[in-house]
Every structure is written in C-alpha cells, then in structure tokens.
Amino acid sequence: MKNNIEKLLETMRILRGENGCKWDREQTHKSIRENMLEEAYEAIDAINANDMKHLKEELGDVLLQVVLHAQIADDNGYFNFDDVAKTINEKLIHRHPHVFSDTKVADVGEILSNWEKLKQEEKPHRKSVLDGISKSQSALMKAQKISKKAVRVGFEWQNIEQLKDCVKSEFVEFENAKTQQEKEEEFGDILFALVNLARWNKIDAEQALNIANEKFTKRFKKMEELAQKPLSELSFDEWDALWRKAKKEVISEL
C-alpha cells in the first residue's frame, strides 16, 4: 500500500503528464517561484496565530511547491523528489556529528559553531563567511543574516553602550547628509545599526517589525471606526486625540 507521500508524488506526475492539467504542464521553476515565498509566509502567519489546523494546511501548500519543483526538474532530466530527500537527509546527518557519530559538544553554541565549520567543508568554493546569503530574501532578513555571520567570527561590539553610540552616530550622519543619495545611504546605515541592536537584545527584527505593523494596522482601523468625519479632514490635534483614544480602546479589547 502506498503511503501519503507516494500518493502525492503520483498525483503530481499525473497532473504534469500528457493527460494531466494544462496549467501544471506549462509551469516552470521561474513561473511559480513567487508561490514558494507566498506559501512560506502563509505558514508563518499560521505559526504566529498558533493555529495548528491552519498550519497543517499551509505546510501542505509549502510541500506542494517542493513536489512541483521536483517534478519539473525530473521532467527535464535534472533530479527528482527522492534526490531532494536524499540530499537533505545526508546533509542533516553530516551536520549533526554529535548525534550520528562520536563528536562531543558542550552546549548549543558549540553545536552552531560546528554547523558553520561543516557548511564550509561542504562548500569550499565560498571564500567569505558572508558568501551564500540569499539575495532574494527581504533586506531586513538579509541584514540579520549578515550581522549574525560577522559576529560568529568575532566582529562584535565590546558592550551594548558602544552599539548604542553607533546607532546615535548614524542618526547624526543622516542629519548631516546633503544629497538624496547620501540620505538614502545613511538611512540604510541606521537600519543596519538597529538590526544589530535587535540582535544584541535577542530580538528578531523581522518579527518585531511585523508586530509593529500589525499594531499600527489595528489602531488605524480603530481610528477609522471612531472618526466622526472623514480622516482626510482632521486637523493635527484631532488626529492626535483620535490616535490616543484608538490606542486605549485597542488595548482594552486585547
């Protein structure tokens, strides 16, 4: 009897086959690349909402993307789903020698350090510790990755006060910028410095910004509910008073 993974793979082969679905047959890696990102974000939404039923569905959608990409590759003679599974399984075993061999580790920090060393062994063509960072992820996530990789080899402030001074100095440089290009560059430096401040405080900058976005959205929608006239007609003082009221009401609803 076939298990559910085998059934899923067979379904995809049929959909991509001669008598299958015209849309599925026409897809390429590039034509569906945005779907992978979209489905991953929807899975993250379910995780953030602690909605296990929704998460089960969204993980299935993520798996669908993997299966479809693997089938497209198989159809073109590159690799198949079994090759994908084999590769990641071998990678997991290789990068966990403290589990699958006799390597001894003292703590999680040593596990992560070994992980980085093993990655370098697997990818000798990478000359810099910053090589291999995805170019397709959001700039904020990329900044976090760059910061963490630099720190792992010792590029770090001695204390948080030095880091805070760095953040303050970036604001000063932004204020002193003359051209639009200079302002853009200095503003980017502010954001990068803030990412480091978040890392120092064990804060995921991407998640923190998502929380801020959600908080602002809830408060703004509450303002729209409370407003006695179109928002575009409000004075600054009316905006301020309405914002304060909306903040209180949203908090009371939580």
Side-chain angles (χ1 to χ4, degrees), residues 68-85:
L68 180 50
H69 276 286
Q71 187 60 52
I72 292 171
D74 192 13
D75 293 340
N76 289 282
Y78 293 111
F79 59 82
N80 58 27
F81 182 84
D82 189 63
D83 295 323
V84 173

Side-chain angles (χ1 to χ4, degrees), residues 5-34:
I5 287 293
E6 291 172 328
K7 291 178 181 178
L8 174 59
L9 294 175
E10 182 178 11
T11 297
M12 184 54 66
R13 283 193 293 269
I14 292 172
L15 289 173
R16 288 273 301 174
E18 184 178 350
N19 299 314
C21 172
K22 186 174 186 296
W23 182 89
D24 287 283
R25 291 201 309 271
E26 291 179 350
Q27 298 316 302
T28 65
H29 293 301
K30 287 186 177 181
S31 72
I32 59 171
R33 59 187 167 186
E34 298 302 324

Side-chain angles (χ1 to χ4, degrees), residues 9 89 99 140 148 163 168 192 202 206 233:
L9 294 175
N89 186 55
V99 176
L140 189 57
K148 289 178 181 178
L163 177 50
K168 292 174 184 177
F192 194 84
K202 295 181 172 56
E206 181 84 8
E233 298 178 8

